[in-house]
């Protein structure tokens, strides 16, 4: 299992090197780093959707499980946005990636990506934010839906023994994921630390120095964050996928790639596969 130790924590990582036709004496490819969401999520969400096409376009795709998620080490504490940002750059340092990278972030991963771009603008060349949490006009209630969902998940995992039920009916992978999630939400400080995370407000968004592509579902409960990004980030493109809710990565993969790959080609110099359309984002 590929792993690195960063900030004293063991992280599970996967790297997909660029594939497809390469020019003679090719330059160092751009690096695209994928940041997943909370609890019932891990790097596989990107591994089976976006990472392969990004590598085929000529980029180096780097995926890692956040602290406590997937196959990364679960620590009792360390789940704030600031800790997640420090983890991100420590993982990149451990892998030897010191040049600016492009971040592709889903859901709560957007909180990590936005704060990373603000903390270290010299290390973030651009961001693709998919259904990203984080932007809000004011602190009160900005993450209420997310915390309610996590709280319900914690109760189901602990008292309904969801992991055991899934394993009993033969859903081994989902059962293992549920067991990891149970230990994370009921055995660490994650819920308390996430509840204390402050939103990224318009004044901070105005300081984002890199280009941003924001992709949201038309029916998403966080669609307002996408509109706020469009209004506040100096170089932001917003693409809304009709009919979808907070499920763009899973249910809107094809359209997401249609807008993301040309955006990466424009900003990072990757190739656009012949099957990818120009989309509506550029």
């Amino acid at each position: 299992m590929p792993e690195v130790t960063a900030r004293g924590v063991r992280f599970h990582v996967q790297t997909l090197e660029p594939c497809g036709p390469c020019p003679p004496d090719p330059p160092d490819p751009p690096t695209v780093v994928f940041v997943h969401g909370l609890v019932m999520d891990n790097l596989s969400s990107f591994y089976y959707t976006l990472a392969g096409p990004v590598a085929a376009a000529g980029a180096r795709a780097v995926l890692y499980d956040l602290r406590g998620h997937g196959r990364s080490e679960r620590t009792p504490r360390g789940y704030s946005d600031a800790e997640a940002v420090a983890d991100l750059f420590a993982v990149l340092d451990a892998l030897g990636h010191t040049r600016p990278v492009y971040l592709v972030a889903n859901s709560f991963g957007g909180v990590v990506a936005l704060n990373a771009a603000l903390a270290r603008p010299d290390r973030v060349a651009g961001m693709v934010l998919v259904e990203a949490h984080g932007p809000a006009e004011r602190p009160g209630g900005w993450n209420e839906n997310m915390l309610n969902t996590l709280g319900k998940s914690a109760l189901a995992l602990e008292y309904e023994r969801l992991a055991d039920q899934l394993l009993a009916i033969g859903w081994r992978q989902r059962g293992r994921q549920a067991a990891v999630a149970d230990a994370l939400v009921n055995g660490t400080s994650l819920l308390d630390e996430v509840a204390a995370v402050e939103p990224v407000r318009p004044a901070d968004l105005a300081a984002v120095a890199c280009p941003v592509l924001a992709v949201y579902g038309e029916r998403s409960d966080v669609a307002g964050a996408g509109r706020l990004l469009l209004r506040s980030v100096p170089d932001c493109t917003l693409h809304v996928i009709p009919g979808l809710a907070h499920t763009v990565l899973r249910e809107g993969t094809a359209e997401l790639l249609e807008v993301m790959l040309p955006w990466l080609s424009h900003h990072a110099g990757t190739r656009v596969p012949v099957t990818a359309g120009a989309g509506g984002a550029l």
Side-chain angles (χ1 to χ4, degrees):
M1 180 180 69
E3 61 182 44
V4 298
T5 298
R7 306 183 69 223
V9 179
R10 177 179 46 80
F11 289 91
H12 172 219
V13 300
Q14 294 285 345
T15 299
L16 279 64
E17 292 296 335
C19 53
C22 294
D25 192 22
D28 190 26
T31 298
V32 178
V33 182
F34 294 84
V35 188
H36 64 76
L38 286 178
V39 184
M40 289 290 283
D41 204 0
N42 54 55
L43 65 76
S44 67
S45 296
F46 291 118
Y47 191 91
Y48 295 107
T49 53
L50 306 182
V54 165
R60 178 180 294 110
V62 175
L63 309 92
Y64 74 107
D65 286 331
L66 296 176
R67 177 191 296 247
H69 294 72
R71 296 180 178 179
S72 288
E73 182 179 350
R74 183 175 65 253
T75 59
R77 294 170 297 280
Y79 299 95
S80 68
D81 52 339
E83 293 282 1
V85 168
D87 286 348
L88 166 63
F89 290 124
V91 167
L92 291 177
D93 288 344
L95 293 171
H97 299 308
T98 57
R99 295 176 56 190
V101 301
Y102 291 83
L103 300 177
V104 177
N106 181 55
S107 193
F108 186 80
V111 176
V112 182
L114 279 167
N115 282 284
L118 291 168
R120 293 295 306 273
D122 58 311
R123 298 197 65 175
V124 180
M127 292 185 286
V128 178
L129 302 177
V130 183
E131 281 292 311
H133 289 279
E137 297 274 4
R138 56 190 64 86
W142 75 277
N143 57 357
E144 183 176 348
N145 289 337
M146 178 176 59
L147 290 168
N148 285 341
T149 300
L150 291 177
K152 291 175 183 177
S153 298
L155 291 173
L157 289 163
E158 183 173 10
Y159 295 109
E160 298 178 15
R161 302 181 65 84
L162 179 59
D164 292 342
Q165 293 182 46
L166 290 171
L167 290 170
I169 62 175
W171 290 8
R172 299 180 65 183
Q173 181 178 5
R174 294 296 289 174
R176 288 193 295 269
Q177 289 178 337
V180 170
D182 186 7
L184 182 59
V185 298
N186 291 309
T188 74
S189 62
L190 180 138
L191 289 180
D192 289 338
E193 292 193 57
V194 170
V197 172
E198 290 289 329
V200 184
R201 304 186 196 184
D204 297 317
L205 294 173
V208 173
C210 64
V212 173
L213 170 63
V215 183
Y216 285 80
E218 176 189 28
R219 299 178 180 175
S220 171
D221 58 353
V222 293
R227 295 188 291 271
L228 183 56
L229 285 166
L230 181 63
R231 293 196 303 270
S232 304
V233 174
D235 185 358
C236 179
T237 300
L238 174 64
H239 184 87
V240 177
I241 299 183
L244 292 188
H246 195 61
T247 54
V248 167
L249 181 60
R250 183 176 72 252
E251 297 180 3
T253 308
E255 185 167 344
L256 176 55
L257 285 168
E258 286 180 354
V259 296
M260 186 180 83
L261 293 178
W263 187 90
L264 284 172
S265 175
H266 178 72
H267 292 285
T270 57
R271 299 184 300 274
V272 181
V274 294
T275 54
L282 293 178

